[in-house]
Amino acid sequence: MFSTIIATGSAVPQREVTNAELAQLVDTSDEWIVTRTGMSRRRIAVTETTSSLAAAAARRALDGAGLSPDAVDLIVAATVTPDNFTPTVSCQVQATLGCARATCFDLWAGCSGFVYGVKVADAMIRSGAVSRAIVVGAETLSRVVDWTDRGTCVLFGDGAGAVLMEASPAPGVMACVTGSDGTRGGFLRIPGLPIRNPWADATSSTSGGASGASAAEPSVISMDGQEVFRFAVGAIQWSIEEASKLAGVPIGRIRRIVPHQANNRIIDAVASRMRLPREVFYTNLQHYGNTSAASIPIALDEMNRQGLLHNGDHLALVGFGGGLTWGGAMVRWTASATRFPG
Ligand code: UT7
């Protein structure tokens, strides 16, 4: 048995924030942001939460497939910005949708989380443990952005995207490859809570050793942009090449590559290094910024709804980000995934 994607869904907050609005907050300009990243606007949660966006995206996927909530037996939510430590985003999605039979857990793998989630769901479906899974990438990064840091606050946005996967006799998900390098974790950090109890020294550096949270450290994103940029170019290339080898699909036969939406210049660099036409890479970061684990499934759903995906198309989904983590999934698209109610 294999797994295949049978529906997609996405949801983004109502509030759009333009580059001009950011230029009122920090010393930046529309020209700098567009030239250095390709981003023009992003959605920022005002009334929404990670779990409300995740549930809305998952519901659209479920509705697209025309399935009842009881048909789902696994929900995996990839996020680094859950609303709570517990209950998890996946359990909140379960409660909202009424997927009473589902086993639910969250997965933390930075911006690669969606690809990791597809790999886990694919493995569980192949093993026979489950038959239908929702994998949702959902983030409200705006809650951990330092809105005084122009080097990072212009980059991120909020949103969620989901796929519904089902057991199938032919492989829709053909291959998944992943990798991680914790030794370079310091390049992209969001510190967690410090150890705080009656026996801990409030001034000492705590959880996680050298890269752990200290009592004084705020839980906001910090990034060495140039190191992450260099890492990203190599990670995308590796992920495409390895997924292509494992799936037995030559790179020239990949119809679209859906990369994590971090920066147009990263994608330009990969296209030129791999001598691939730039149009093969789908980008929508101009509208949504970098939505971490949500960026790939939001892009996939947008492509699906725009009729850009056709039966038999080979798609490479490619994630990279904090951890460091990276990964690629080679997917053969099936027409049945392009159904929308109403
Ligand atoms: O999802 C996780 C994965 N994340 C990524 O993949 C991000 C990867 N990195 C990048 O996309 C890029 O490195 C950035 C977009 C973050 C930065 O672009 P860059 O071309 O690497 O710029 P830089 O950091 O080298 O900064 C160049 C200049 C600096 O000024 P000086 O030192 O040359 O005077 C910065 O202070 O640009 C300045 N700068 C800004 N200026 C206006 C940095 N941010 C801004 C800004 N507006 N928002």
Side-chain angles (χ1 to χ4, degrees), residues 46-60:
V46 178
T47 56
E48 302 85 353
T49 62
T50 299
S51 53
S52 73
L53 292 165
R59 190 188 299 282
R60 280 177 196 145

PDB file of all heavy atoms in Angstrom, residues 46-60:
ATOM      1  N   VAL A  46      -4.743  38.817  13.699  1.00  0.00           N
ATOM      2  CA  VAL A  46      -5.237  39.781  14.689  1.00  0.00           C
ATOM      3  C   VAL A  46      -6.264  39.082  15.567  1.00  0.00           C
ATOM      4  O   VAL A  46      -6.161  39.077  16.791  1.00  0.00           O
ATOM      5  CB  VAL A  46      -5.840  41.017  13.986  1.00  0.00           C
ATOM      6  CG1 VAL A  46      -6.407  41.991  15.014  1.00  0.00           C
ATOM      7  CG2 VAL A  46      -4.784  41.714  13.128  1.00  0.00           C
ATOM      8  N   THR A  47      -7.227  38.422  14.906  1.00  0.00           N
ATOM      9  CA  THR A  47      -8.228  37.662  15.678  1.00  0.00           C
ATOM     10  C   THR A  47      -7.968  36.159  15.567  1.00  0.00           C
ATOM     11  O   THR A  47      -8.474  35.380  16.356  1.00  0.00           O
ATOM     12  CB  THR A  47      -9.641  37.948  15.159  1.00  0.00           C
ATOM     13  OG1 THR A  47      -9.658  37.652  13.753  1.00  0.00           O
ATOM     14  CG2 THR A  47     -10.018  39.401  15.354  1.00  0.00           C
ATOM     15  N   GLU A  48      -7.168  35.746  14.558  1.00  0.00           N
ATOM     16  CA  GLU A  48      -6.951  34.318  14.324  1.00  0.00           C
ATOM     17  C   GLU A  48      -5.864  33.780  15.259  1.00  0.00           C
ATOM     18  O   GLU A  48      -5.081  34.536  15.830  1.00  0.00           O
ATOM     19  CB  GLU A  48      -6.525  34.064  12.869  1.00  0.00           C
ATOM     20  CG  GLU A  48      -7.517  34.558  11.823  1.00  0.00           C
ATOM     21  CD  GLU A  48      -7.337  36.030  11.455  1.00  0.00           C
ATOM     22  OE1 GLU A  48      -6.521  36.721  12.104  1.00  0.00           O
ATOM     23  OE2 GLU A  48      -8.015  36.499  10.531  1.00  0.00           O
ATOM     24  N   THR A  49      -5.808  32.452  15.367  1.00  0.00           N
ATOM     25  CA  THR A  49      -4.742  31.779  16.121  1.00  0.00           C
ATOM     26  C   THR A  49      -4.163  30.678  15.238  1.00  0.00           C
ATOM     27  O   THR A  49      -4.728  30.365  14.180  1.00  0.00           O
ATOM     28  CB  THR A  49      -5.300  31.116  17.397  1.00  0.00           C
ATOM     29  OG1 THR A  49      -6.260  30.127  16.997  1.00  0.00           O
ATOM     30  CG2 THR A  49      -5.969  32.127  18.317  1.00  0.00           C
ATOM     31  N   THR A  50      -3.084  30.062  15.691  1.00  0.00           N
ATOM     32  CA  THR A  50      -2.511  28.957  14.910  1.00  0.00           C
ATOM     33  C   THR A  50      -3.550  27.852  14.732  1.00  0.00           C
ATOM     34  O   THR A  50      -3.741  27.327  13.623  1.00  0.00           O
ATOM     35  CB  THR A  50      -1.257  28.391  15.613  1.00  0.00           C
ATOM     36  OG1 THR A  50      -0.283  29.431  15.718  1.00  0.00           O
ATOM     37  CG2 THR A  50      -0.664  27.228  14.829  1.00  0.00           C
ATOM     38  N   SER A  51      -4.251  27.516  15.806  1.00  0.00           N
ATOM     39  CA  SER A  51      -5.193  26.392  15.701  1.00  0.00           C
ATOM     40  C   SER A  51      -6.438  26.765  14.894  1.00  0.00           C
ATOM     41  O   SER A  51      -6.979  25.917  14.184  1.00  0.00           O
ATOM     42  CB  SER A  51      -5.570  25.869  17.087  1.00  0.00           C
ATOM     43  OG  SER A  51      -6.030  26.923  17.882  1.00  0.00           O
ATOM     44  N   SER A  52      -6.881  28.036  14.959  1.00  0.00           N
ATOM     45  CA  SER A  52      -8.067  28.390  14.162  1.00  0.00           C
ATOM     46  C   SER A  52      -7.719  28.376  12.674  1.00  0.00           C
ATOM     47  O   SER A  52      -8.517  27.925  11.840  1.00  0.00           O
ATOM     48  CB  SER A  52      -8.665  29.737  14.592  1.00  0.00           C
ATOM     49  OG  SER A  52      -7.862  30.823  14.180  1.00  0.00           O
ATOM     50  N   LEU A  53      -6.519  28.832  12.335  1.00  0.00           N
ATOM     51  CA  LEU A  53      -6.084  28.783  10.929  1.00  0.00           C
ATOM     52  C   LEU A  53      -5.896  27.336  10.479  1.00  0.00           C
ATOM     53  O   LEU A  53      -6.301  26.946   9.378  1.00  0.00           O
ATOM     54  CB  LEU A  53      -4.777  29.569  10.760  1.00  0.00           C
ATOM     55  CG  LEU A  53      -4.880  31.086  10.947  1.00  0.00           C
ATOM     56  CD1 LEU A  53      -3.494  31.707  11.114  1.00  0.00           C
ATOM     57  CD2 LEU A  53      -5.609  31.726   9.765  1.00  0.00           C
ATOM     58  N   ALA A  54      -5.292  26.531  11.356  1.00  0.00           N
ATOM     59  CA  ALA A  54      -5.066  25.113  11.023  1.00  0.00           C
ATOM     60  C   ALA A  54      -6.393  24.400  10.800  1.00  0.00           C
ATOM     61  O   ALA A  54      -6.550  23.622   9.839  1.00  0.00           O
ATOM     62  CB  ALA A  54      -4.287  24.431  12.150  1.00  0.00           C
ATOM     63  N   ALA A  55      -7.366  24.673  11.665  1.00  0.00           N
ATOM     64  CA  ALA A  55      -8.660  24.003  11.542  1.00  0.00           C
ATOM     65  C   ALA A  55      -9.370  24.436  10.259  1.00  0.00           C
ATOM     66  O   ALA A  55      -9.986  23.608   9.569  1.00  0.00           O
ATOM     67  CB  ALA A  55      -9.526  24.310  12.763  1.00  0.00           C
ATOM     68  N   ALA A  56      -9.275  25.729   9.920  1.00  0.00           N
ATOM     69  CA  ALA A  56      -9.932  26.216   8.700  1.00  0.00           C
ATOM     70  C   ALA A  56      -9.300  25.570   7.457  1.00  0.00           C
ATOM     71  O   ALA A  56     -10.014  25.162   6.523  1.00  0.00           O
ATOM     72  CB  ALA A  56      -9.838  27.734   8.624  1.00  0.00           C
ATOM     73  N   ALA A  57      -7.966  25.461   7.449  1.00  0.00           N
ATOM     74  CA  ALA A  57      -7.285  24.835   6.302  1.00  0.00           C
ATOM     75  C   ALA A  57      -7.653  23.360   6.205  1.00  0.00           C
ATOM     76  O   ALA A  57      -7.950  22.841   5.126  1.00  0.00           O
ATOM     77  CB  ALA A  57      -5.768  25.000   6.459  1.00  0.00           C
ATOM     78  N   ALA A  58      -7.640  22.671   7.345  1.00  0.00           N
ATOM     79  CA  ALA A  58      -7.957  21.236   7.360  1.00  0.00           C
ATOM     80  C   ALA A  58      -9.407  21.003   6.935  1.00  0.00           C
ATOM     81  O   ALA A  58      -9.712  20.059   6.195  1.00  0.00           O
ATOM     82  CB  ALA A  58      -7.707  20.670   8.759  1.00  0.00           C
ATOM     83  N   ARG A  59     -10.305  21.884   7.383  1.00  0.00           N
ATOM     84  CA  ARG A  59     -11.718  21.720   7.006  1.00  0.00           C
ATOM     85  C   ARG A  59     -11.883  21.854   5.486  1.00  0.00           C
ATOM     86  O   ARG A  59     -12.632  21.125   4.858  1.00  0.00           O
ATOM     87  CB  ARG A  59     -12.599  22.746   7.723  1.00  0.00           C
ATOM     88  CG  ARG A  59     -14.095  22.453   7.538  1.00  0.00           C
ATOM     89  CD  ARG A  59     -14.978  23.557   8.065  1.00  0.00           C
ATOM     90  NE  ARG A  59     -14.851  23.823   9.473  1.00  0.00           N
ATOM     91  CZ  ARG A  59     -15.404  23.072  10.439  1.00  0.00           C
ATOM     92  NH1 ARG A  59     -16.095  22.008  10.121  1.00  0.00           N
ATOM     93  NH2 ARG A  59     -15.241  23.396  11.702  1.00  0.00           N
ATOM     94  N   ARG A  60     -11.143  22.803   4.889  1.00  0.00           N
ATOM     95  CA  ARG A  60     -11.255  22.971   3.427  1.00  0.00           C
ATOM     96  C   ARG A  60     -10.776  21.718   2.708  1.00  0.00           C
ATOM     97  O   ARG A  60     -11.353  21.314   1.691  1.00  0.00           O
ATOM     98  CB  ARG A  60     -10.475  24.200   2.972  1.00  0.00           C
ATOM     99  CG  ARG A  60     -11.299  25.420   3.228  1.00  0.00           C
ATOM    100  CD  ARG A  60     -10.655  26.740   2.894  1.00  0.00           C
ATOM    101  NE  ARG A  60     -11.446  27.768   3.569  1.00  0.00           N
ATOM    102  CZ  ARG A  60     -11.001  28.879   4.102  1.00  0.00           C
ATOM    103  NH1 ARG A  60      -9.724  29.169   4.009  1.00  0.00           N
ATOM    104  NH2 ARG A  60     -11.796  29.715   4.708  1.00  0.00           N
TER     105      ARG A  60
END
